[in-house]
Amino acid sequence: QLQLQESGSGLVKPSQTLSLTCAVSGGSISSGGYSWSWIRQPPGKGLEWIGYIYHSGSTYYNPSLKSRVTISVDRSKNQFSLKLSSVTAADTAVYYCARETYYDYNYYMDVWGKGTTVTVSS
Amino acid sequence: VIWMTQSPSLLSASTGDRVTISCRMSQGISSYLAWYQQKPGKAPELLIYAASTLQSGVPSRFSGSGSGTDFTLTISCLQSEDFATYYCQQYYSFPRTFGQGTKVEIK
């Protein structure tokens, strides 16, 4: 059974870069038909899609964050990563990684990590 | 960007009730809609995709309907484990967007 596990810096100073990794186990990140997403949730608020990397390596980012976001994949380690630069307090959130499955013209996030809390504070 | 309006934001109900949550799109998305359930401190879980297709393992008391701009999630007989927050999400276009969420609480 596929599992995802986020890890990374839990406390980031303003203006610095947030770095998170999502380790994939129980399956290959290079398998076709999947993309690998990042979603975040500020405290007490709703979900915001950050972006994804397709199994081929192509990426798509939320335009609201595009200038600050980089998502990459490390196939040798079966993991993918998120970097968010120039962070502010507004980037404080629980960050989730998720697998988006493509099936019959539908895309849905069917496997999620447990989430990791990132706080931006000096 | 496709905006989504979920209603109500808060729903108070009792075990055994039939509850309905609405999700309205700012433009038509055919049936490219998913529903997720999130419990406090947990990651969201997929309930429904393609507006009405139940994800494997999800109880049949959950159902989804709609197409175009108006969608509905129905829980036919609310159970104690269903008290949670529910989100709709469109995948018709980028960026993926979520509704604001509907919290289903115990009356």
Side-chain angles (χ1 to χ4, degrees), chain A residues 41-89:
Chain A
Q41 185 170 37
K45 296 188 177 181
L47 300 163
E48 179 181 31
W49 183 81
I50 298 170
Y52 81 28
I53 187 162
Y54 196 47
H55 72 91
S56 64
S58 59
T59 54
Y60 199 100
Y61 303 136
N62 193 322
S64 67
L65 300 168
K66 186 176 182 178
S67 63
R68 301 193 291 130
V69 171
T70 302
I71 297 175
S72 60
V73 65
D74 186 336
R75 301 183 194 285
S76 67
K77 295 183 178 179
N78 214 37
Q79 64 186 34
F80 62 107
S81 299
L82 169 70
K83 290 188 185 300
L84 182 66
S85 63
S86 305
V87 298
T88 69

Side-chain angles (χ1 to χ4, degrees), chain A residues 6-27:
Chain A
E6 304 91 345
S7 63
S9 50
L11 179 64
V12 184
K13 289 182 167 49
S15 80
Q16 293 190 342
T17 296
L18 176 162
S19 295
L20 297 175
T21 295
C22 181
V24 179
S25 59

Side-chain angles (χ1 to χ4, degrees), chain B residues 11-100:
Chain B
L11 193 160
S12 298
S14 302
T15 303
D17 284 353
R18 178 185 179 90
V19 301
T20 299
I21 298 168
S22 171
C23 188
R24 176 164 288 180
M25 308 295 129
S26 60
Q27 64 184 78
I29 63 165
S30 186
S31 296
Y32 298 124
L33 185 95
W35 289 95
Y36 298 86
Q37 176 193 68
Q38 186 179 33
K39 296 181 179 179
K42 301 293 186 182
E45 293 186 359
L46 177 68
L47 296 175
I48 286 169
Y49 63 93
S52 61
T53 300
L54 216 58
Q55 170 70 344
S56 175
V58 174
S60 59
R61 62 181 181 272
F62 291 92
S63 64
S65 64
S67 66
T69 60
D70 293 306
F71 299 86
T72 300
L73 173 69
T74 300
I75 310 173
S76 60
C77 183
L78 202 63
Q79 302 298 300
S80 57
E81 60 266 32
D82 301 336
F83 291 97
T85 300
Y86 294 85
Y87 294 93
C88 54
Q89 179 241 324
Q90 64 82 22
Y91 49 87
Y92 176 80
S93 68
F94 290 104
R96 309 293 195 226
T97 46
F98 292 87
Q100 307 97 310

